[in-house]
Amino acid sequence: MNPTETDKTTDKTTQPAAAGTGAVDTKAEDTAVAAPGTSEKTAGTTAETVGDEHDTAVSDDIDADERLDVDDDGRTPRASSGLAASAGAVFAAGLGVVGLSGSWIGRIAAERQTLIGQIKTSQGGSPADQISAIYGDAWHTTALSNGVFALLALIIGLVVLTRPRKSGWVPAVAVAGAALGALGLIVSIGMYFDIILALPSAGS
């Protein structure tokens, strides 16, 4: 074999390798070209994920705002202090005590009714009429006054129990006020209709 044929064989042998090398370079270039597109898709996906997280956070904030008392301008959310419920519970308990023990208003009304009865029976009247006018009407007036306070205590206590966001001690005080109001109302009704203590009867 002469040197010329050897050179040709060598050229033929190296040509596929060169072609292969060129193909590899072409694929590398394609990969390099595709890489920026892949990065853009990844960036887009990341942006969408961040957007979804932002929407979720905004939704959570809206839900939180709905659970708060918001000012008239709608820009300053603030948590409810529960002051109204606390004051209502204490007020109900106080009214319940007054409904059972009586008040100065009831005493004044009873004394006034006693005076009116004395004026009516001063010109004469049967003992039964005197008892009813002087004592019975006064007792009924006291029972009516106490019943009003007891009814208010019962209503306010029940209203406080239906309100949300109450402190730990508020429900207990509200229940106590409602219970005292209910008890005072029962006693007042019994006194007004002479069920618990009836008027004394006049002797024959």
Side-chain angles (χ1 to χ4, degrees):
M1 180 179 295
N2 54 26
T4 304
E5 293 178 355
T6 303
D7 294 336
K8 291 181 180 180
T9 303
T10 303
D11 294 337
K12 292 180 180 180
T13 304
T14 56
Q15 284 179 358
T21 303
V24 172
D25 294 339
T26 303
K27 293 180 180 179
E29 291 177 358
D30 294 339
T31 304
V33 172
T38 304
S39 300
E40 293 176 357
K41 292 180 179 179
T42 304
T45 303
T46 304
E48 291 177 359
T49 303
V50 173
D52 293 339
E53 293 177 354
H54 177 69
D55 294 338
T56 303
V58 172
S59 178
D60 293 339
D61 292 340
I62 293 175
D63 293 339
D65 290 339
E66 291 177 354
R67 295 190 296 267
L68 298 175
D69 294 335
V70 183
D71 291 341
D72 295 336
D73 56 1
R75 293 177 296 179
T76 308
R78 58 186 178 185
S80 177
S81 61
L83 180 61
S86 302
V90 175
F91 193 51
L95 289 176
V97 173
V98 172
L100 279 175
S101 61
S103 64
W104 67 273
I105 296 177
R107 289 195 298 271
I108 292 176
E111 291 175 0
R112 179 178 181 275
Q113 196 63 39
T114 300
L115 181 60
I116 293 175
Q118 290 175 352
I119 294 174
K120 286 182 178 180
T121 58
S122 61
Q123 302 298 327
S126 63
D129 293 338
Q130 292 179 358
I131 292 173
S132 177
I134 297 175
Y135 299 102
D137 292 344
W139 292 357
H140 294 163
T141 301
T142 302
L144 181 62
S145 175
N146 293 347
V148 171
F149 284 103
L151 180 61
L152 289 176
L154 177 61
I155 293 175
I156 295 175
L158 294 177
V159 170
V160 171
L161 289 175
T162 59
R163 291 185 60 85
R165 295 190 296 273
K166 299 182 292 292
S167 301
W169 60 271
V170 172
V173 178
V175 169
L180 289 174
L183 181 59
L185 187 60
I186 293 173
V187 173
S188 298
I189 292 174
M191 292 291 295
Y192 187 83
F193 292 101
D194 299 330
I195 298 174
I196 297 177
L197 292 176
L199 288 174
S201 60
S204 57

